Amino acid sequence: MRTGRLGRSTVEVTELGFGGGPLGGLFEPLDDDTAAGALEAAWQSGIRYFDTSPHYGIGHSERRIGDFLGRRPRNGFTLSTKVGRLLVPQDPAGRTDEAFMVPATHRRVWDFSRDGILRSVEDSLARMGVDCFDVLFLHDAEGRFEDALRHGYPALAELRAQGVVGAVGAGMHHTGMLTRFVRETDADVVMLSGRYTLLEHSALDDLLPACAERGVPVLAASVFNSGLLAAPRPADGAFYDYGPAPSELLRRAHRIADVCEAHGVTLPQAAMAFPLLHPVVAGIVVGMRSAEEVRADVAAFEADVPAGLWSDLRGEGLLDERAPVGD
């Protein structure tokens, strides 16, 4: 599997990265054996970039990925996690976490201060059983952006200067805030969630031009928009941005699927191929929860997508004219 370097850093990622959200019990419970099977299938397929966060399953995703990678040479993979939320133990009292299907053993506390960042990194290292991270991202800072920019980023830059981490950046869905982040910091990379996909091209307005100007690569996450693009034909009730898809987007996804079928391509194959056509996109990060899902995603990632698909999508008004498609 091809790899790419993250900007001016020495960190490299495979073009297809393993997203750890589902390993935290996103949408439905997940047992340890199934999670381990997904990670093993990813490793066997050649994936060597693994991304996680304390937020995902209030530590479950970090623990599971750490357990798996702890049996592999540390120089054989690239690992990223995120900062901005601290996990504070609590009595679950029989409750399930509000965001993931796991017992509510911890609560999240937002903290983008220097001390909060350092504590978050220390906690994540302990949960994962590793001695370092390759990449650290400020996570979901939309509601606390000034704190993240003025206090969180300098803490990450300090860790980078000390050699504790190889690359630093931010992971969000708000393209305007990420654009400011790129322009006002010396970030190595940003992770963009769900805003440069077959259905959503808003990153072309601001973020992608800024990244091209500043030499900051993008890792595109949520390329299936939380599920709407994950099947050859989106089902009624399919998710978009972690909630039921609006009817207008559902119709648009079906129109895209029509054009894909005419070219012998599936919607997931096109969804994985599209972001990588932009020169600033260094890779995509896809959440996977089982060995079967990993194998299906890898097969879709490796499929040949004809250039004619993109021109026909443009002709149907389904693809932004500004989107690079290699023509």
Side-chain angles (χ1 to χ4, degrees):
M1 192 172 290
R2 290 192 302 269
T3 63
R5 180 169 292 185
L6 297 182
R8 296 173 293 276
S9 77
T10 60
V11 177
E12 294 195 351
V13 296
T14 46
E15 278 193 338
L16 176 58
F18 186 100
L23 297 197
L26 182 63
F27 300 136
E28 60 186 68
L30 187 73
D31 62 85
D32 284 348
D33 288 344
T34 302
L39 289 162
E40 179 63 35
W43 188 271
Q44 293 299 325
S45 75
I47 293 173
R48 293 295 184 270
Y49 172 43
F50 298 84
D51 173 70
T52 184
S53 167
H55 172 56
Y56 302 154
I58 46 177
H60 276 63
S61 175
E62 285 191 325
R63 175 180 59 80
R64 286 166 165 167
I65 291 177
D67 287 348
F68 177 81
L69 294 178
R71 300 188 295 274
R72 273 76 190 170
R74 184 60 188 88
N75 62 359
F77 58 86
T78 299
L79 178 62
S80 63
T81 194
K82 306 183 180 78
V83 296
R85 295 175 176 93
L86 295 174
L87 303 183
V88 178
Q90 66 179 5
D91 181 357
R95 292 175 293 119
T96 299
D97 179 62
E98 69 271 15
F100 292 81
M101 298 300 291
V102 297
T105 56
H106 293 71
R107 61 185 176 88
R108 301 167 180 83
V109 176
W110 289 101
D111 194 337
F112 286 104
S113 69
R114 179 181 182 278
D115 287 347
I117 298 299
L118 298 181
R119 177 180 163 189
S120 180
V121 173
E122 183 179 354
D123 289 350
S124 290
L125 289 171
R127 264 191 301 273
M128 301 196 74
V130 296
D131 57 4
C132 66
F133 294 111
D134 300 295
V135 190
L136 289 170
F137 293 103
L138 300 167
H139 194 197
D140 292 345
E142 284 85 352
R144 296 160 176 81
F145 182 70
E146 293 301 329
D147 281 346
L149 183 65
R150 303 305 173 199
H151 305 291
Y153 170 74
L156 292 186
E158 179 182 337
L159 292 173
R160 181 180 58 188
Q162 294 170 352
V164 175
V165 64
V168 300
M172 292 188 278
H173 66 264
H174 195 291
T175 61
M177 291 180 183
L178 275 180
T179 300
R180 273 195 63 197
F181 183 78
V182 166
R183 293 195 181 282
E184 296 181 25
T185 72
D186 189 27
D188 300 293
V189 59
V190 293
M191 183 176 286
L192 175 65
S193 178
R195 294 297 177 263
Y196 193 59
T197 73
L198 276 179
L199 281 172
E200 172 62 74
H201 307 140
S202 60
L204 289 166
D205 296 334
D206 46 16
L207 178 62
L208 297 182
C211 287
E213 176 187 328
R214 297 276 292 171
V216 177
V218 172
L219 294 171
S222 299
V223 297
F224 298 144
N225 285 121
S226 301
L228 189 52
L229 300 174
R233 281 285 170 181
D236 292 339
F239 272 27
Y240 174 84
D241 279 3
Y242 306 102
S247 57
E248 178 184 347
L249 283 178
L250 195 60
R251 287 193 295 270
R252 185 178 179 87
H254 276 288
R255 290 180 61 200
I256 295 172
D258 289 338
V259 180
C260 287
E261 286 181 0
H263 286 270
V265 173
T266 68
L267 201 53
Q269 289 170 351
M272 297 177 90
F274 170 72
L276 289 166
L277 295 171
H278 198 291
V280 307
V281 176
I284 60 173
V285 179
V286 178
M288 297 176 262
R289 70 169 51 242
S290 68
E292 293 75 18
E293 201 167 284
V294 170
R295 286 191 282 268
D297 285 340
V298 170
F301 175 77
E302 293 177 343
D304 290 327
V305 177
L309 170 66
W310 313 119
S311 57
D312 283 357
L313 287 172
R314 275 182 173 171
E316 293 290 327
L318 297 168
L319 199 62
D320 195 303
E321 292 287 338
R322 298 170 296 171
V325 292
D327 54 5

